[in-house]
Amino acid sequence: CEVIVATHYNEIFKKQYPNLTFILPYNQPSDLYASYRVGFWLKEGRANMNRNRVDPKNLPLIKVGSNILGLEYEELKPKLENLGEGKQKLVTIGFFTKGQYKYWNNPTGWQEVVDFLNSKGYEVRVLSNEENGYRGNKLPTGVTRQPNGSLSDIVKVLQESELFIGISSGLSWLSWAVGAPTIIISGFTDVTFEPTNGVTRIINKEVC
């Protein structure tokens, strides 16, 4: 059968999946045999059981999708194009996210990490695109900012990084997907929520 996929990030998938037809969200054809809406569906803060087979809060995030599709769960990376031009003396970080509960709320943690990496000769580059001071969160000193560009630009710089350090956000997932060594600092999510293969997890269960 023909499989049609609607995502907000078609540009990083289309070349790698020539057997799929990619369309923009909300442009769904009217003559489909079946359609599946894959997401973390909540209603008033609780699992929307009209759209989830089981409560998604109790599952690895990848398994949320496989459950909706009725597929056996397996932690698989997407196929993404290799855009990098070789490793640089570079560590990338994902500093910002939408909810304060997802941040690394150690008041000196990021600065200590950046100072250490700078002392070893690394450029530390922030990939998050929120402005400095977003929701009261100030960037550490000694970092550079990734110029505004496409998602493909982010894929390229991640592939050229020696390491990515992030929190529970989409940038950490993208880093894992492109095969960059990835550290996730999070007590907001459990250790199995994000990917486990190729990811180093920093968590203090006595605090969070």
Side-chain angles (χ1 to χ4, degrees):
C1 62
E2 181 184 6
V3 178
I4 300 171
V5 182
T7 85
H8 292 284
Y9 307 106
N10 292 345
E11 73 271 19
I12 67 170
F13 296 119
K14 287 175 72 171
K15 288 183 181 178
Q16 304 303 104
Y17 293 93
N19 295 329
L20 302 179
T21 300
F22 286 87
I23 63 172
L24 293 174
Y26 318 115
N27 288 349
Q28 179 172 305
S30 60
D31 58 347
L32 298 178
Y33 171 76
S35 65
Y36 301 86
R37 301 188 71 188
V38 180
F40 196 92
W41 301 111
L42 301 177
K43 187 176 183 180
E44 298 176 354
R46 298 175 179 269
N48 183 345
M49 299 313 295
N50 291 323
R51 292 189 173 183
N52 298 288
R53 294 182 177 213
V54 297
D55 189 338
K57 292 180 180 178
N58 299 325
L59 297 174
L61 192 54
I62 297 174
K63 194 171 184 178
V64 174
S66 62
N67 270 5
I68 290 172
L69 295 170
L71 300 173
E72 186 175 341
Y73 170 58
E74 185 178 354
E75 186 178 292
L76 290 176
K77 292 183 181 181
K79 301 173 186 175
L80 297 178
E81 189 175 3
N82 186 7
L83 302 173
E85 298 176 2
K87 293 294 184 183
Q88 309 291 325
K89 190 80 171 177
L90 174 68
V91 172
T92 47
I93 66 173
F95 181 86
F96 294 105
T97 188
K98 300 302 179 189
Q100 191 64 45
Y101 44 82
K102 292 185 177 185
Y103 278 78
W104 185 21
N105 290 300
N106 179 334
T108 63
W110 279 115
Q111 190 63 63
E112 291 175 25
V113 168
V114 171
D115 290 346
F116 174 78
L117 291 168
N118 286 165
S119 75
K120 300 297 182 182
Y122 283 93
E123 176 193 352
V124 181
R125 189 181 305 177
V126 179
L127 301 186
S128 311
N129 58 17
E130 289 83 356
E131 70 278 5
N132 192 9
Y134 176 75
R135 293 192 173 184
N137 296 282
K138 294 281 190 178
L139 287 171
T141 59
V143 299
T144 58
R145 299 296 303 267
Q146 174 71 12
N148 289 335
S150 69
L151 193 59
S152 294
D153 295 332
I154 301 298
V155 169
K156 180 178 184 294
V157 75
L158 281 168
Q159 290 171 339
E160 294 173 346
S161 303
E162 288 195 23
L163 178 68
F164 172 83
I165 308 172
I167 50 184
S168 182
S169 73
L171 279 171
S172 295
W173 282 83
L174 185 61
S175 174
W176 164 78
V178 303
T182 301
I183 293 176
I184 296 178
I185 304 168
S186 178
F188 166 71
T189 50
D190 202 357
V191 292
T192 59
F193 188 77
E194 282 93 7
T196 57
N197 184 22
V199 169
T200 300
R201 182 74 177 220
I202 308 297
I203 184 169
N204 183 353
K205 293 188 176 183
E206 300 301 316
V207 174
C208 300

